[in-house]
Structures are given as C-alpha cells and as structure tokens.
Amino acid sequence: MKNRRRTALMGLALLLAVTPVFGGSQESPEALIGRARSVIQDPHFSRDAITDSLSDALGAALLIVPATDYADDFRARIETVRKMFDDEALFSDKGRQYLGLAYRMVSGGRTWQIPEELKTLDPKKGIERSLDICRHLLESALAELKAGRNEKAVSRLLEYVILVVTPIEA
C-alpha cells in the first residue's frame, strides 16, 4: 500500500515538474505583442529593450504562422534572425535579407517597402513618425490576430521588425 502511494506521489510530482516544458509556461502571442508595444510606447527605451521588443514580435510571429507549405522555411529564417538578435547583430544585411524573404512568404510575394510617410518626411520628425508607424503596426497585428487573420498579423509583425532594423536615410 505504501509503495502504491509513493509511486502515485512520485508520478504526480514528475507530471507537475514536466508540465511547464510542454507549453504551460509559453507566453501567448497577444502577451508578446503587448510587451513589444509597451517598449515602443516608452519614450526612453534602451537598445536592450528594443532588441527584446523585436524578439517578442518575432516570437509571436512564430507562434501564429499558419500551417502552410512554407511554414518550416519561415520558422528557420525567423529563428536565425532571433539568434542574430541574441548575438546583438541587429543591423546585419543577412538578417534583413532573411526577414525580407520571410515577409514575402506571408505577404503573397510582395517585397517590403519603406512607408511613404518616411520617404518625404522632415528628418527632424523622422524618429517620431517611425515610432507612430511602429505602434500602428503592432496594434494592427494584434487586431488581425484577434480577427483570426494570422497570416496578416504575421506580416504586420515582420513589417515592424524590418522597419526598425532597416537604415533609412534622411
């Protein structure tokens, strides 16, 4: 009788210990997008905070990318970019190339373009306008996700990341 109880208790302890590994501790895409957005809303964010924001946006994209024929390739590219961000290589050409290819996958073959508002803007207002666009992209991603349009949400998240890591000349 004691052995059965002990075995049952050990099994329960093992189950409780393993549960977080199988998804119990994984954050929701909504939480990741919200955290990314909160960084952009802070007027005094640091480089580490923006790196975390970009990583959160990519993490949300990985969680919600639809099951398609390109999903594995998409995941591989995004994971590579996240690793680059962990290694503090935010502005690498390879990272932008991988992001651009991933964006083409979820946007029906379109390539990412610098928003028109930034092409004709007074350079002194460029950063402020860029932050507004970033906020809008993250809010749009959240709205698309809630509406069940995951592919559109993923493309908005990638637009945000690409905008931040792409040098834009004044």
Side-chain angles (χ1 to χ4, degrees):
M1 188 70 142
K2 283 185 176 182
N3 285 339
R4 286 185 189 170
R5 274 193 204 157
R6 186 175 299 153
T7 303
L9 287 174
M10 287 174 51
L12 181 60
L14 179 63
L15 179 65
L16 291 173
V18 172
T19 299
V21 172
F22 292 116
S25 65
Q26 186 174 12
E27 288 187 79
S28 71
E30 294 88 354
L32 291 170
I33 295 169
R35 202 166 59 208
R37 189 177 61 182
S38 69
V39 169
I40 295 300
Q41 291 173 335
D42 181 1
H44 305 292
F45 55 82
S46 66
R47 178 186 169 104
D48 289 342
I50 198 67
T51 302
D52 290 344
S53 175
L54 297 172
S55 186
D56 286 343
L58 293 177
L62 288 171
L63 290 174
I64 63 176
V65 67
T68 60
D69 57 341
Y70 63 77
D72 289 338
D73 190 28
F74 177 89
R75 283 187 177 90
R77 291 181 189 285
I78 297 302
E79 286 295 344
T80 299
V81 172
R82 287 182 81 190
K83 173 85 172 91
M84 294 170 91
F85 286 175
D86 290 344
D87 295 339
E88 297 185 14
L90 284 180
F91 304 107
S92 78
D93 290 335
K94 181 180 178 183
R96 280 193 302 281
Q97 180 184 20
Y98 274 28
L99 288 167
L101 291 170
Y103 178 76
R104 287 184 69 186
M105 290 178 198
V106 296
S107 68
R110 289 181 294 124
T111 57
W112 181 83
Q113 299 291 317
I114 295 172
E116 286 298 319
E117 309 92 295
L118 294 179
K119 290 180 181 178
T120 59
L121 194 63
D122 175 9
K124 294 179 184 175
K125 295 183 181 181
I127 298 294
E128 183 179 310
R129 184 63 186 134
S130 293
L131 289 173
D132 288 343
I133 292 170
C134 287
R135 279 187 215 99
H136 172 74
L137 288 170
L138 291 170
E139 290 166 3
S140 178
L142 194 54
E144 296 290 357
L145 177 62
K146 288 180 180 179
R149 294 184 291 266
N150 289 9
E151 200 165 42
K152 196 74 162 165
V154 170
S155 71
R156 295 291 179 255
L157 290 167
L158 290 181
E159 287 178 47
Y160 160 66
V161 175
I162 295 169
L163 178 62
V164 173
V165 300
T166 300
I168 300 174
E169 293 185 30

